Amino acid sequence: MVLKVRKVDPLNPDEAIIREASEYIKRGHLVAFPTETVYGLGADTFNGEACLRIFKAKGRPPDNPLIVHIADLSELYRVAVNIPDIALRVVRRAWPGPLTLILPKSPDVPREVTGGRNTVAVRSPAHPVALALIRSSGTPIAAPSANKSGRPSPTLAEHVIEDYAGDNDIEMILLDAGPTFFGVESTIVDMTRNPPVLLRPGPFTVEELRSLFNTDIVIPEFARGGLGEADAALAPGTKYRHYAPRTRLIVVECEDYGSLIMLLRDTIIDYLNKKLKIALLITKETANELMKYSEINELPIIIIGYRENPYTIASSLFDSLRSLDKLNVDLGIARALRIGVLGWP
Ligand code: TXA
Ligand code: MG
């Protein structure tokens, strides 16, 4: 592969580098770029062949549609039709930002982008590099998260390099602007239903969504646990295995924090007795509690953030999953987290 890595300032990206990347987009090649949520792997939305290269590079099933990224509201009319008033009201307040809307698709959007559906997912990313790239390319950019299918989404340019460094048949530029801001993917709401339906929880809380939409919005049961996989999921992508490290990971869940510590301790000791090499993925607060036990305080720990500040957890979650794979242990033990619609544990 020809993977060219270009460092850019996240807030004030170098024009020459953005121009070089936009030439790639115009010529039908791929550009991995930062958004406020995770890195995306982009191509020209109106070039079906270029978009197919995204699926090939990621190993993504063709029925899992892409999100179209726009820089200005006027571009919405190039990719969607019959846009309901409520959608326009919402995006005027929420964009640029981590909210993706499902809308009826314009016939100009190739079927490769939407996986053959008659709807299209659209958002405007709140990242100066993403916005500069879209504007300079003069076209909306179709992009899923830039990870290989099944891997945790990339929140650092290094994650993208990790996933694609071994490939040798892709022409691609990676715009390295350091860590993304949120670290979890955009909230997806289906506006083709009345009332609108939440398809994928993300950075917005349910209260924020209700106030933003100022109308009833359907929160399906599967979304109540926060980010996760569910059979009933309506965004096709959520039916596939994702966010997964290669190392086996056990997630310990408990409603009450005091009992959670006890349950974690017992689970860890159980597996230590089986002579397994273990690493822990826990918050700083939980680490402080578990350090009191001598059996545990020598184990490798990946701090996934601070319980009192959920944003620190969101931004390091995917990096923590990737770090686990580098520790060479048999098993990771994590505490369950609820990120998204119902708030934080
Ligand atoms: O934050 C994000 O949304 C990131 C950045 C790069 O923008 N992108 C992202 O893309 O997470 P991806 O491909 O990993 O997730 C897109 C999700 C998938 O679950 C896909 O099935 C769903 O959006 N989706 C796309 N088009 C859809 C449609 N027409 N109807 C329902 N779901 C759709
Ligand atoms: Mg993804």
Side-chain angles (χ1 to χ4, degrees):
M1 167 180 60
V2 195
L3 171 60
K4 293 185 183 156
V5 184
R6 299 284 183 263
K7 281 212 184 294
V8 281
D9 185 307
L11 301 180
N12 191 16
D14 184 313
E15 271 176 38
I17 294 174
I18 294 296
R19 212 171 313 119
E20 184 192 10
S22 65
E23 283 306 317
Y24 260 55
I25 294 286
K26 288 179 194 166
R27 294 211 307 268
H29 296 313
L30 306 185
V31 176
F33 63 97
T35 77
E36 79 278 41
T37 58
V38 301
Y39 276 77
L41 184 59
D44 177 358
T45 296
F46 298 118
N47 182 341
E49 230 171 275
C51 291
L52 269 186
R53 291 196 183 108
I54 297 175
F55 288 87
K56 189 161 169 257
K58 276 185 63 110
R60 184 179 177 97
D63 67 344
N64 189 6
L66 311 178
I67 294 177
V68 172
H69 296 72
I70 61 175
D72 299 291
L73 198 53
S74 60
E75 286 177 306
L76 183 57
Y77 299 93
R78 295 178 67 190
V79 296
V81 294
N82 301 329
I83 304 162
D85 285 345
I86 171 178
L88 288 172
R89 270 205 316 274
V90 165
V91 299
R92 278 197 192 102
R93 285 179 62 197
W95 284 355
L99 178 70
T100 296
L101 297 186
I102 307 296
L103 294 165
K105 123 188 198 334
S106 148
D108 297 340
V109 176
R111 61 191 318 284
E112 287 83 356
V113 172
T114 60
R117 296 176 167 239
N118 55 10
T119 53
V120 62
V122 195
R123 84 181 194 94
S124 183
H127 196 298
V129 173
L131 293 173
L133 176 69
I134 300 164
R135 289 195 178 117
S136 174
S137 303
T139 182
I141 293 183
S145 50
N147 52 291
K148 287 269 181 186
S149 267
R151 298 277 291 147
S153 299
T155 52
L156 293 170
E158 286 77 7
H159 297 158
V160 181
I161 298 171
E162 227 166 70
D163 280 10
Y164 295 91
D167 295 8
N168 47 25
D169 56 349
I170 314 166
E171 191 82 20
M172 178 166 145
I173 284 188
L174 163 61
L175 295 173
D176 174 358
T180 58
F181 309 143
F182 279 106
V184 293
E185 294 97 334
S186 62
T187 301
I188 305 182
V189 178
D190 187 351
M191 301 305 297
T192 66
R193 291 155 190 260
N194 192 6
V197 179
L198 176 76
L199 299 191
R200 182 175 74 177
F204 288 91
T205 64
V206 81
E207 291 77 21
E208 284 164 342
L209 285 178
R210 291 222 160 97
S211 120
L212 193 58
F213 283 77
N214 197 20
T215 176
D216 193 21
I217 151 162
V218 179
I219 314 285
E221 193 54 40
F222 77 83
R224 292 180 184 275
L227 282 176
E229 233 171 336
D231 294 339
L234 298 168
T238 52
K239 79 180 181 216
Y240 297 106
R241 177 184 161 88
H242 55 335
Y243 309 132
R246 296 191 178 101
T247 311
R248 192 172 154 219
L249 180 69
I250 289 189
V251 181
V252 176
E253 191 166 11
C254 200
E255 287 296 308
D256 160 73
Y257 189 64
S259 320
L260 173 77
I261 298 294
M262 292 301 113
L263 191 59
L264 268 170
R265 185 198 62 177
D266 293 348
T267 309
I268 295 164
I269 291 173
D270 239 28
Y271 282 100
L272 282 175
N273 287 338
K274 292 178 186 156
K275 303 278 178 260
L276 292 181
K277 273 203 264 175
I278 296 173
L280 309 178
L281 284 87
I282 47 184
T283 57
K284 184 74 180 130
E285 291 87 341
T286 304
N288 291 343
E289 292 297 323
L290 289 174
M291 283 312 93
K292 295 173 188 157
Y293 303 101
S294 58
E295 306 92 316
I296 296 176
N297 66 19
E298 304 268 291
L299 295 180
I301 294 180
I302 297 168
I303 297 290
I304 55 173
Y306 291 83
R307 187 168 173 247
E308 62 176 29
N309 182 356
Y311 287 101
T312 60
I313 302 177
S315 65
S316 68
L317 180 64
F318 292 137
D319 186 49
S320 304
L321 294 178
R322 285 173 181 262
S323 302
L324 175 64
D325 286 335
K326 291 170 194 143
L327 286 180
N328 217 354
V329 293
D330 303 312
L331 181 70
I333 297 182
R335 58 156 303 187
L337 296 160
R338 271 205 214 135
I339 301 174
V341 286
L342 290 189
W344 303 80

